[in-house]
Amino acid sequence: MTADPTTSPDQWTIRRVLDWTKAYLAKCGSDSPRLDAEILLAHARGCPRIQLYTNFDEVLSNEVRGRMRELVNRRAQHEPVAFLVGHREFFSLDFEVSRDVLVPRPETEILVMESLEAIKGNSTATVLDLGTGSGCIAVAVAVNAPTASVTGIDLSDAALAVARRNAERHKVAERVTFLHGDLFEPLPLPSLEQGGFDVIVSNPPYVATSDAATLPPDVLRHEPENALFAGADGLDIIRRIVENSPRFLNPGGTLLIEFSPEQAERISGLLNERGSFDEVTILRDLSQNPRVVRAVKRHEG
Ligand code: GLN
């Protein structure tokens, strides 16, 4: 592991390139250097990741090594792997991503699991995804709830274009409607007795502007600002969702919002003060951090 396999004339096999890249990316600060190396090499070679394992001793062509060199250099500058290869797995599905959307994160899968749980056994379920971005939540719900109708809203037209392609890619476009606008704005006002949605789910922007410096460079330098930041305490968007969602939820409907761990108490407080919700439960992610709130809209009377 002394020479750079992407420039050295030696025989650089898949195995050696992966080992070298892993060590290099670890030094550059990646927290998943082996996985990064595999995804980038599979992209450079134009094959699924699994094929790297079955061809460990293959010597790579100059062309593949050239492509790999470029990808590794960009990764070393903290460009997210998902942007370099243009896609990312979420909820066992492959999603197109671009610089116009937040990269889907594993903790956000909780929102999908909880949405599916909330509509289990409901064959006419309606789900609203606010700030849909890549559409990963909306599409994953639609794929796994084959009769549900899903609406995704986003302020970014560029994000919606990605979301629409993801719905088509996963063959749910006829059950997922994407609307352009600011949170609830593009929706018709619901009637008094019918809120409209069985589930409202959101991974909104929730980073406090003062926390910008604490974000990893991958996120801060490369992901869209308007998908990350929400005012001085990060709660500007969540406050608006809590305020308006009761009007758009059916009685007994479920609100699910992702947030940053230190916001848990304030978010429970906001939901309890709002007065329309019966059960307010904080759920933890795989790292045991509070990450999602679930609140059930009260049945009147
Ligand atoms: N979880 C993201 C981060 O910490 C933030 C995502 C968001 O604001 N919705 O980078």
Side-chain angles (χ1 to χ4, degrees), residues 102-103 105 107-108 202-208 215-216 219-220 223-230 234 258-261 291:
L102 202 70
V103 176
R105 287 145 161 79
E107 55 268 30
T108 303
S202 184
N203 173 19
Y206 57 67
V207 180
L215 292 179
V219 179
L220 186 61
E223 296 198 81
E225 249 175 70
N226 57 3
L228 290 169
F229 296 107
E258 181 177 321
F259 58 81
S260 185
R291 182 61 69 183

Side-chain angles (χ1 to χ4, degrees), residues 24-61:
Y24 179 64
L25 292 180
K27 216 171 58 191
C28 296
S30 167
D31 52 17
S32 52
R34 174 72 193 192
L35 182 63
D36 292 2
E38 290 181 11
I39 294 174
L40 294 178
L41 187 55
H43 185 70
R45 189 174 173 272
C47 70
R49 237 172 85 209
I50 183 75
Q51 277 186 23
L52 300 176
Y53 287 93
T54 52
N55 295 278
F56 258 154
D57 296 317
E58 174 188 297
V59 176
L60 290 166
S61 68

Side-chain angles (χ1 to χ4, degrees), residues 57-104:
D57 296 317
E58 174 188 297
V59 176
L60 290 166
S61 68
N62 285 340
E63 204 190 338
V64 172
R65 275 169 46 203
R67 279 199 291 271
M68 183 64 175
R69 178 161 54 237
E70 150 98 23
L71 291 167
V72 171
N73 284 341
R74 289 171 63 186
R75 180 66 192 124
Q77 301 300 312
H78 302 285
E79 278 195 57
V81 170
F83 290 161
L84 293 174
V85 301
H87 61 104
R88 165 77 168 225
E89 188 188 304
F90 175 82
F91 216 79
S92 302
L93 299 166
D94 191 53
F95 285 92
E96 174 187 330
V97 297
S98 75
R99 282 159 184 74
D100 297 310
V101 304
L102 202 70
V103 176

